[in-house]
Amino acid sequence: MACTTLFCGCGTPNRSAFTGARGEAELIVLHPADEQLAQVQSRMNPQINRTVHVFAPEGEGLQSYLARINAFNSRPDSATSWNEVVSNEGDFLARMLGEKPGNVALLSGRTATAAGYSAACIGAGLNVLSTAPLASGTPEFRELERSLGLADEKGLVLYELMPERYEIAALLQQALARNADFFGIQLCGSPEAPAIVSESVLPLFTARMEGTGSSTALRPGITGSPANDKTANAKGESRDNSAFETAPADYDDWSYPADSLGLQNAFLLAAAPRIDLIQLAVFGRERIKYNRQIQFTSARQYPAAVPEREYLRASGSAALPPALQPYRSGDTLRLPGNGELRYVLNGVHTGVSIRHYLPGSGTAPAQRESPATAATAPEDKAASHADAGTTAGMTVGTTGIPQALPAPYRKLALQGEKATLTLVERGGALPQLYIVPAPGTDSTRFAQSLLAALGQLAPLCPGLGIEPAGTAFRVVIPAEARTALPQRIEKAASQYLDYLVQGYPPFWEVDQMLAKYYTLIRPFDESQQQ
């Protein structure tokens, strides 16, 4: 995985057959297997032809996709008018490649990666838009690199759908991190105390939505109490939920993949969006040479151990789903998806942690130390879903940043010379951005500097404000700036359509895509480690 491919498309004139004309993007949906794929069609886009050709084997993935499209077509407000032409018999891939009834292949990463659909589509002259993951091991990574080079030669666009990029709190974090006058330089940290830390605690199963055949993650810890309530824990510490306004049900996705291919890639699916956000914060829209600017410190993956009876009780199932049977060991499920990764990105020590827990069991993992300081467990030990007590509400520490969160949650902290930027996401609540001044900074002057920096972001998000949170400040984001997951997927798809008209993706997009999967695959590759 040390080779580097050079792509020349970004420096050549527009080679695209796309002009932005109405209906010119003709979709071919190939073997759908996740909900984000269907969300690309949640709204009609004038550039996308209303007739969509679907090639897939009969099964739950196809039925779930069609049910979602039917829901879009039949909703009372803003109904779509997609015409789905389905082919589900015989060798659907060979039939699609022979007929090629469109010019853009829409792929589910969890099926496309295993079957090599992306390379086949690029080889046949089709553009590709795929959900994650684009690679799951070294052979697939090398195939991705070759496919990107071939796409460049043919004037095609191979791109990954990345809706997490368009969440406004994450965009603000990245923008402030790129403001040297406010943030200073990005600190480098150390292996013991990384300057960038991402921590995710996610649920282990999903619940079915009535009548859709699709799934949505349970949201444990959300009790339905008012979002602005204040309570106290058993120790008398103040707990303040005022910052966490309740989010719409479709604002984010906390689901754990329950299908067999998704289970195999659970860590990849959870970690890929975090790596993408970290790279954007460090590099912005700049190129990355992955074999020169990324070095690995340590990495481990380990299963979450769940007693079968507790899984059945929490999920309300009478029997284990077929996809979970291979993970049964006696009376315990050893489910994949947990992992910790420590690496150096362009000189910055970075830690990423992904942990899963069993919702509905009355216990959830409490917030641990950062990935850089957490003790390394033996490789053959599984992490218990109930290794710590439940946290109800958040404990407000001296900095004002939530120190303990109810699962599920995600946190991403960037430590700079003048400030630390922490993005906090809670299941069922709107993401929040906290800013902590560097030690010894005058609070009043820092607040003025922060307001000035936010004022410069008015083109991105007008009407930003701040409110004190202990010694930190919380960025107050106007409600109209918030966009739910379907709208963020729509924005990501629109970006792809822009690249189609341009004729190629920018150099930095290709570089960062390869860097992301190099980071996710290289340290865990057993053959390389041996």
Side-chain angles (χ1 to χ4, degrees), residues 38 70 120 136 154 188 232 281 307 309 385 485 507:
N70 181 63
S136 59
K154 291 189 169 193
C188 293
R309 64 182 182 280
H385 71 284
L485 181 61
F507 271 130

Side-chain angles (χ1 to χ4, degrees), residues 37 40 104-107 127-131 157 159-161 493 496:
L37 196 75
V40 171
V104 176
L106 194 57
L107 310 181
N127 296 280
V128 172
L129 176 61
S130 177
T131 59
V157 179
Y159 194 62
E160 182 179 11
L161 192 71
Y496 176 71

Side-chain angles (χ1 to χ4, degrees), residues 77-429:
D77 297 320
S78 303
T80 56
S81 57
W82 300 109
N83 175 33
E84 302 284 313
V85 180
V86 180
S87 177
N88 60 356
E89 297 179 355
D91 190 337
F92 61 90
L93 177 60
R95 183 180 296 108
M96 185 278 288
L97 295 174
E99 297 178 7
K100 285 196 298 186
N103 49 24
V104 176
L106 194 57
L107 310 181
S108 288
R110 60 183 69 174
T111 53
T113 298
Y117 293 157
S118 293
C121 290
I122 293 295
L126 295 170
N127 296 280
V128 172
L129 176 61
S130 177
T131 59
L134 265 61
S136 59
T138 297
E140 293 86 358
F141 178 84
R142 290 173 175 158
E143 189 63 54
L144 172 63
E145 198 163 29
R146 286 191 292 267
S147 295
L148 285 165
L150 182 59
D152 182 78
E153 292 175 10
K154 291 189 169 193
L156 301 171
V157 179
L158 166 57
Y159 194 62
E160 182 179 11
L161 192 71
M162 293 171 280
E164 71 281 348
R165 289 184 172 186
Y166 300 92
E167 205 291 313
I168 186 60
L171 287 170
L172 293 173
Q173 184 187 43
Q174 294 163 24
L176 289 175
R178 306 295 295 172
N179 185 334
D181 291 336
F182 170 74
F183 186 64
I185 62 171
Q186 169 67 60
L187 297 184
C188 293
S190 67
E192 295 75 24
I196 297 178
V197 175
S198 172
E199 181 185 17
S200 301
V201 175
L202 308 171
L204 266 174
F205 69 86
T206 58
R208 291 289 162 189
M209 294 172 58
E210 289 294 331
T212 66
S214 58
S215 61
T216 184
L218 294 180
R219 302 194 175 194
I222 307 303
T223 62
S225 57
N228 62 350
D229 66 336
K230 293 186 179 182
T231 60
N233 64 11
K235 297 180 181 179
E237 298 169 318
S238 174
R239 296 179 182 273
D240 185 355
N241 290 327
S242 60
F244 287 92
E245 298 95 345
T246 301
D250 63 349
Y251 194 84
D252 214 336
D253 179 15
W254 297 86
S255 63
Y256 179 79
D259 61 294
S260 58
L261 288 172
L263 284 165
Q264 295 170 23
N265 297 309
F267 178 80
L268 278 173
L269 292 169
R274 316 310 292 170
I275 302 293
D276 191 63
L277 293 180
I278 290 169
Q279 290 180 169
L280 286 170
V282 173
F283 286 93
R285 298 187 173 194
E286 297 177 9
R287 302 195 64 180
I288 303 177
K289 294 185 181 296
Y290 68 78
N291 56 344
R292 297 182 185 178
Q293 293 175 283
I294 299 173
Q295 300 85 38
F296 301 103
T297 305
S298 65
R300 69 187 185 104
Q301 288 182 312
Y302 56 98
V306 181
E308 181 181 348
R309 64 182 182 280
E310 292 193 22
Y311 178 90
L312 294 175
R313 182 173 66 248
S315 65
S317 303
L320 283 180
L324 297 186
Q325 293 291 344
Y327 302 98
R328 189 188 217 167
S329 177
D331 59 358
T332 300
L333 297 176
R334 298 171 62 87
L335 299 175
N338 289 351
E340 292 180 359
L341 172 63
R342 309 174 198 181
Y343 64 106
V344 182
L345 176 64
N346 200 35
V348 180
H349 287 273
T350 303
V352 176
S353 171
I354 305 292
R355 289 180 294 129
H356 290 88
Y357 70 99
L358 179 63
S361 65
T363 55
Q367 192 169 342
R368 290 180 177 173
E369 300 170 277
S370 75
T373 58
T376 300
E379 292 295 329
D380 61 347
K381 283 191 175 181
S384 170
H385 71 284
D387 56 1
T390 305
T391 55
M394 67 179 188
T395 300
V396 180
T398 56
T399 64
I401 297 179
Q403 300 300 301
L405 292 166
Y409 68 83
R410 292 185 286 247
K411 293 177 70 175
L412 174 59
L414 314 173
Q415 186 179 7
E417 176 188 14
K418 300 179 180 179
T420 297
L421 316 176
T422 302
L423 176 65
V424 180
E425 302 171 79
R426 259 188 57 189

